[in-house]
Amino acid sequence: MSRHQAYRNYDYENDLDEFEGDDGIEDEEELSPEDRAQMDVGTAQVRTALGTESSKVTTQQIQEALWHYYYDIDKSVTYLTTKFIVPLSKKKGARKGEAREQHVSHASFFDDMPWLNVSKDRQTIFIEPLRNRGGLLGGASTPSKMSKLQALAAARKKKADDQKSEEKLRRVTQHLGNLSTAPELPESTKENVRPLCPSPGEVEGLTGAGKTIIPERASFEQVQVSDKRLQDQPEIANQLVQPLPVTASSPLLVATPSSFARALLRPTTSSAASSPKTYSFPYMNVTSSSTDAFSAPSPDDVVLKAQSQASSKKAAAPATKKKADPGAKSAEATTDGVNSLRIDDAPLPKSKNLDVLKEFQKTQSKKSASFVVVGHVDAGKSTLMGRLLLDLDVVDQRTIQKYRKEAESIGKSSFALAWVLDQRSEERSRGVTIDIATNKFETDTTSFTILDAPGHRDFIPNMIAGASQADFAILVVDATTGAFEAGLKGQTREHSLLLRSMGVSRIIVAINKLDTVGWSQTRFDEISQQVSGFLSATGFQLKNVSFVPVSGLLGDNIVRRSTDAAAGWYDGKTLVEELESSEPMARALHKPLRLTISEVYRSTQSPITISGRIDAGSLQAGDALLVQPSGEKAYVKSLELDQEPVDWAVAGQNVVIHLSNIDPIHIRVGDIICDTKHPIACIDTFTVKILAFDILMPMQVDVHRGRLHAAGQIVEMPALLDKVKGTVTKKKPRIVKPGSVARVVVKMGTKVPLEAGQRVVLRSGGDTVAAGLLE
Ligand code: GDP
């Protein structure tokens, strides 16, 4: 495949012409013999696919299309059909149809719309309600008659309301008594001084010379000393609501209002044509001000003064004032809160100073391995794992029966087994596994951890997290006719590529649902062959790949051998036997500690408990650890393995760690716990050797490593590499084609804990575009 083809395939010719010069199809020099041969085969295939229509296109058009679509026959045929064949027939048809179009009736225009073709039996029948319900629902103007009981309740409520408003009125009047102006006011002025809100009787006609101006709409209901604190401190309340003295000789003088103001405020007298006019505020509950509005302290000043008085009083007599002063109370509460936020300064946990590796060698009786289950959505992964756990007696029949009943009640009876793994109700109702549910089981020789990876496309990041922890993988393939082919085009391929890039080298292929094809050996062989070819092309060694024909639903060849006579031809291992014969990956026991946090939570043991798989090294209770990227130190208070307290844990184990002496804000899912003496560095730029799944160029990418992910950008592509030898085949390529191996430099927006030897996945627009190893 020439470089030019890849460019054309991805429609980058405009950009690339600039760099590469014009290298179109007519430039025969560019076609390698391999290309020429492929072009000839492609041309013939396109002609066959076009059938009788093939005469409508020229060979050059076909070859241009093949060139453009990188020998993709389907795409080329679609392009040629839409570009050259359909337009022709459309043009002919268009002329014929023109006359007809004018006669299309309006009724027939909607003929193909589904709502016109709803059969009678499926149409809704509206049943009239027996009686009007009143209000919005019934739409009747008169509500239905009240029952006696309702009438009694309504009367009681009315009485209580009346009592409440009387009480309110009494309280307000009492406050108003306090609202008199300062006592030093001369007697003559006093008669013109009015409280903030007069009695309703006084309101009418209170304008003009000699009268105090009162807001038209003001009423007693509108004046409420609602603030609880003010009710508690009447002296402040009085100051706050004290009205400004308004005298008869000083009516409100205002400039001629704008039209907006006129719309907003209405004149209080219709006859007052002469200026100055007085205006009331019908739409706002405000008081008119006097001419000398700034003679008294502003409300803010009053509050500030009151506060400073309160605080000085508190300082003078803190013990006696405590109860009466709600401000003091809240300050105290805040101090308490701050105290409770103090970093845990508990004594450091003690260490037993064990030689962990020696302890590990002593106790190692059983192998332990974790595996990931991948495959296309609906391939039957969860059902298969549910069956495995059921047949190994990890879950009992009663639980399965319960799930069966629940599943039947929502019409998905076949999901009962899958629910063993899909434990969360959200997953159940969707029928899709969306998180790594960690399930454990043991056989005579090995203890296994299932990291169930989801099959749904959106959940690939979870699968990456699962795959990065797995020793090996079970690839579930749906043998149902058509389903395998669809799966291979879809997630089966992407998952296998991901597995390889995440460092998984052993795969057990469970060819599932063979019951649906009558245990056909031919189908099994056909699928095995195709998957083998594909996996070896992806980089798996076939000695590490095995195939088992199974039925997850019925349990054949999973723990027990199939008893179906039609499956008699298979005498290989069952799935469990294959699992047991899989060697766990060598553990990095002697390396510095590295653990990627997969969960952070609060437990009875500690306010900060984390869990995750130890990628490298070991740890024991009492150890000091470093959390990256926060760089904070923490101590191991205690440890748990499989819900049992332990003193130590080593690489490869999924451990729960109760931490102490660290604030939870410094720990997040995806962070790395490491050795304090050999900490992992936080970097924002790294070089990675990747396998491209899609076309790569300097572009935005999301960097995933286990549960960690960060936004980044490919900033440089120093070299294309030989897939097998890893030698440089081309320096500074402008793009990297799918399937190629390259060295690229990625820069991230933030510093994250990453180091050489780790595997990362690059994603873009929701698709995995590359995966590889940090250099
Ligand atoms: P997942 O999305 O890969 O986890 O698939 P599920 O385990 O949810 O299964 C999808 C559907 O396939 C369910 O309706 C299962 O009952 C069905 N299924 C799973 N395994 C088998 C099998 O071995 N035989 C048959 N006939 N159906 C199966």
Side-chain angles (χ1 to χ4, degrees):
M1 168 173 51
S2 77
R3 208 174 45 223
H4 174 79
Q5 287 167 314
Y7 296 162
R8 288 207 140 220
N9 185 23
Y10 291 92
D11 221 354
Y12 298 122
E13 61 266 67
N14 287 344
D15 296 349
L16 294 162
D17 282 347
E18 218 177 281
F19 306 110
E20 308 290 328
D22 180 15
D23 47 1
I25 178 109
E26 51 288 352
D27 190 356
E28 291 285 323
E29 304 291 312
E30 270 292 307
L31 283 185
S32 63
E34 174 206 339
D35 277 334
R36 176 45 55 206
Q38 220 173 337
M39 186 64 88
D40 292 342
V41 174
T43 311
Q45 283 176 341
V46 170
R47 285 215 181 275
T48 317
L50 288 174
T52 52
E53 306 283 19
S54 99
S55 60
K56 293 177 184 164
V57 285
T58 64
T59 303
Q60 193 181 347
Q61 284 167 339
I62 294 174
Q63 294 195 344
E64 283 283 358
L66 283 168
W67 185 253
H68 188 85
Y69 289 111
Y70 181 32
Y71 301 130
D72 187 315
I73 307 296
D74 289 347
K75 282 184 186 163
S76 305
V77 169
T78 313
Y79 166 75
L80 292 167
T81 312
T82 48
K83 175 96 181 169
F84 303 109
I85 300 167
V86 174
L88 279 178
S89 40
K90 254 195 192 161
K91 262 183 221 160
K92 278 183 214 156
R95 247 169 261 131
K96 272 190 225 160
E98 267 163 23
R100 235 183 299 137
E101 265 172 30
Q102 289 164 9
H103 301 295
V104 171
S105 75
H106 289 103
S108 65
F109 188 78
F110 291 106
D111 266 357
D112 56 346
M113 301 292 167
W115 57 83
L116 283 184
N117 300 324
V118 178
S119 61
K120 267 263 179 261
D121 59 313
R122 290 184 52 213
Q123 287 176 11
T124 306
I125 301 163
F126 290 102
I127 301 169
E128 243 186 88
L130 291 175
R131 60 180 172 82
N132 276 332
R133 268 175 280 166
L136 284 176
L137 281 178
S141 51
T142 49
S144 58
K145 214 178 155 226
M146 269 194 216
S147 71
K148 270 186 190 166
L149 209 59
Q150 280 174 318
L152 189 67
R156 278 203 186 141
K157 189 169 182 300
K158 190 169 179 294
K159 201 173 161 197
D161 286 349
D162 288 347
Q163 269 175 4
K164 239 190 228 165
S165 54
E166 261 171 39
E167 167 65 10
K168 211 188 279 171
L169 196 68
R170 196 187 53 72
R171 271 215 323 268
V172 173
T173 325
Q174 195 184 331
H175 280 302
L176 288 173
N178 298 332
L179 291 180
S180 60
T181 46
E184 60 274 15
L185 226 60
E187 212 50 38
S188 60
T189 333
K190 262 188 187 168
E191 79 174 13
N192 290 322
V193 174
R194 291 184 175 271
L196 180 66
C197 301
S199 70
E202 283 178 293
V203 175
E204 272 165 35
L206 287 178
T207 51
K211 295 277 183 184
T212 309
I213 299 147
I214 301 296
E216 198 178 68
R217 290 282 176 96
S219 70
F220 283 104
E221 268 85 4
Q222 284 166 329
V223 181
Q224 288 176 38
V225 184
S226 58
D227 189 334
K228 190 88 180 66
R229 278 171 304 169
L230 294 183
Q231 283 176 17
D232 290 342
Q233 289 177 286
E235 72 282 8
I236 299 179
N238 289 343
Q239 289 179 54
L240 277 174
V241 295
Q242 201 169 17
L244 298 168
V246 182
T247 59
S249 56
S250 57
L252 180 61
L253 298 176
V254 286
T256 318
S258 66
S259 46
F260 173 70
R262 251 178 279 135
L264 192 66
L265 315 170
R266 343 187 252 274
T268 45
T269 62
S270 50
S271 58
S274 60
S275 101
K277 264 185 185 169
T278 57
Y279 281 82
S280 68
F281 298 78
Y283 309 114
M284 289 180 264
N285 184 19
V286 292
T287 59
S288 55
S289 61
S290 78
T291 45
D292 192 10
F294 298 101
S295 59
S298 73
D300 281 0
D301 291 339
V302 175
V303 172
L304 286 174
K305 193 172 157 216
Q307 277 177 348
S308 70
Q309 273 172 5
S311 62
S312 60
K313 269 183 211 161
K314 198 180 133 209
T320 49
K321 206 67 189 152
K322 224 177 194 175
K323 226 176 175 184
D325 191 348
K329 232 184 205 170
S330 72
E332 203 182 356
T334 316
T335 325
D336 287 348
V338 170
N339 279 341
S340 71
L341 281 178
R342 265 178 325 150
I343 293 172
D344 184 4
D345 54 4
L348 301 183
K350 280 193 188 132
S351 171
K352 288 190 184 167
N353 287 322
L354 301 169
D355 182 341
V356 173
L357 297 186
K358 237 184 202 164
E359 296 288 322
F360 174 59
Q361 275 157 11
K362 264 196 266 169
T363 59
Q364 205 185 10
S365 54
K366 261 188 189 180
K367 285 193 296 182
S368 69
S370 52
F371 62 90
V372 65
V373 190
V374 300
H376 197 67
V377 65
D378 279 351
K381 299 178 293 296
S382 304
T383 308
L384 187 74
M385 289 303 108
R387 167 61 67 183
L388 188 73
L389 296 180
L390 174 68
D391 290 359
L392 284 170
D393 295 330
V394 182
V395 279
D396 52 30
Q397 278 290 352
R398 270 225 321 268
T399 315
I400 292 288
Q401 285 306 341
K402 191 179 121 219
Y403 287 160
R404 277 216 174 102
K405 261 193 201 152
E406 284 176 29
E408 271 162 21
S409 71
I410 62 160
K412 294 178 177 175
S413 54
S414 65
F415 282 170
L417 274 173
W419 281 1
V420 175
L421 252 69
D422 303 348
Q423 284 151 341
R424 294 193 303 172
S425 59
E426 181 196 346
E427 291 166 12
R428 287 181 177 190
S429 54
R430 293 175 64 179
V432 178
T433 315
I434 62 168
D435 207 344
I436 312 168
T438 311
N439 281 277
K440 293 178 189 303
F441 65 92
E442 285 192 10
T443 62
D444 293 342
T445 61
T446 320
S447 80
F448 290 101
T449 304
I450 310 174
L451 304 157
D452 180 41
H456 196 277
R457 189 179 164 76
D458 299 345
F459 306 134
I460 292 273
N462 281 341
M463 154 167 183
I464 295 167
S468 66
Q469 298 179 11
D471 290 316
F472 60 91
I474 299 183
L475 170 63
V476 183
V477 173
D478 184 346
T480 319
T481 321
F484 163 68
E485 288 72 14
L488 199 60
K489 275 190 192 154
Q491 290 146 1
T492 311
R493 185 177 291 270
E494 188 179 11
H495 286 186
S496 313
L497 279 167
L498 269 174
L499 288 176
R500 188 70 205 103
S501 330
M502 296 315 292
V504 175
S505 54
R506 160 119 175 95
I507 288 196
I508 300 167
V509 185
I511 301 183
N512 193 27
K513 305 196 191 179
L514 270 177
D515 55 311
T516 62
V517 290
W519 292 94
S520 153
Q521 186 176 3
T522 326
R523 181 70 175 154
F524 175 77
D525 289 341
E526 179 195 359
I527 293 175
S528 309
Q529 235 171 14
Q530 287 202 37
V531 175
S532 299
F534 162 65
L535 289 180
S536 67
T538 313
F540 288 94
Q541 291 185 332
L542 288 182
K543 67 177 170 72
N544 291 329
V545 181
S546 43
F547 297 88
V548 190
V550 297
S551 166
L553 198 63
L554 308 176
D556 294 47
N557 291 339
I558 293 173
V559 175
R560 61 163 180 84
R561 250 160 221 293
S562 175
T563 46
D564 195 323
W569 51 267
Y570 181 73
D571 57 3
K573 289 178 180 167
T574 60
L575 187 68
V576 164
E577 286 163 357
E578 281 292 355
L579 291 178
E580 287 188 312
S581 63
S582 304
E583 277 302 312
M585 282 201 295
R587 300 182 189 287
L589 295 175
H590 298 275
K591 293 201 173 153
L593 173 73
R594 298 289 184 263
L595 177 149
T596 309
I597 301 177
S598 55
E599 268 181 283
V600 179
Y601 53 95
R602 175 183 275 271
S603 68
T604 47
Q605 309 269 335
S606 157
I608 320 149
T609 295
I610 58 165
S611 68
R613 183 177 188 263
I614 307 176
D615 299 323
S618 60
L619 80 166
Q620 60 180 302
D623 274 1
L625 308 169
L626 193 79
V627 182
Q628 286 286 53
S630 70
E632 291 290 320
K633 219 175 183 185
Y635 287 83
V636 182
K637 201 166 150 193
S638 54
L639 289 166
E640 276 177 44
L641 274 181
D642 302 334
Q643 289 147 20
E644 292 292 329
V646 287
D647 289 329
W648 50 266
V650 295
Q653 290 175 324
N654 286 291
V655 66
V656 169
I657 310 175
H658 304 293
L659 292 174
S660 75
N661 304 77
I662 186 163
D663 195 304
I665 57 165
H666 300 304
I667 301 188
R668 283 169 315 175
V669 167
D671 286 358
I672 294 197
I673 295 279
C674 56
D675 192 327
T676 48
K677 292 191 201 86
H678 306 280
I680 186 169
C682 291
I683 51 171
D684 62 359
T685 307
F686 62 86
T687 305
V688 61
K689 190 171 134 186
I690 48 95
L691 168 68
F693 302 152
D694 208 331
I695 194 144
L696 296 185
M697 57 177 68
M699 62 201 254
Q700 302 285 342
V701 284
D702 288 325
V703 180
H704 289 261
R705 199 197 81 78
R707 292 223 169 233
L708 178 153
H709 50 93
Q713 192 176 11
I714 298 179
V715 285
E716 234 182 282
M717 302 200 297
L720 272 183
L721 306 173
D722 184 282
K723 261 193 214 175
V724 185
K725 290 182 247 157
T727 48
V728 175
T729 54
K730 184 175 184 347
K731 280 189 181 165
K732 295 197 174 182
R734 291 190 188 281
I735 58 162
V736 176
K737 291 173 291 179
S740 309
V741 175
R743 178 172 290 131
V744 301
V745 180
V746 177
K747 187 167 172 32
M748 293 168 296
T750 47
K751 289 199 168 191
V752 294
L754 279 177
E755 63 188 350
Q758 287 181 333
R759 295 190 180 260
V760 291
V761 170
L762 307 182
R763 307 192 85 223
S764 171
D767 288 320
T768 307
V769 291
L773 197 70
L774 245 77
E775 290 191 323

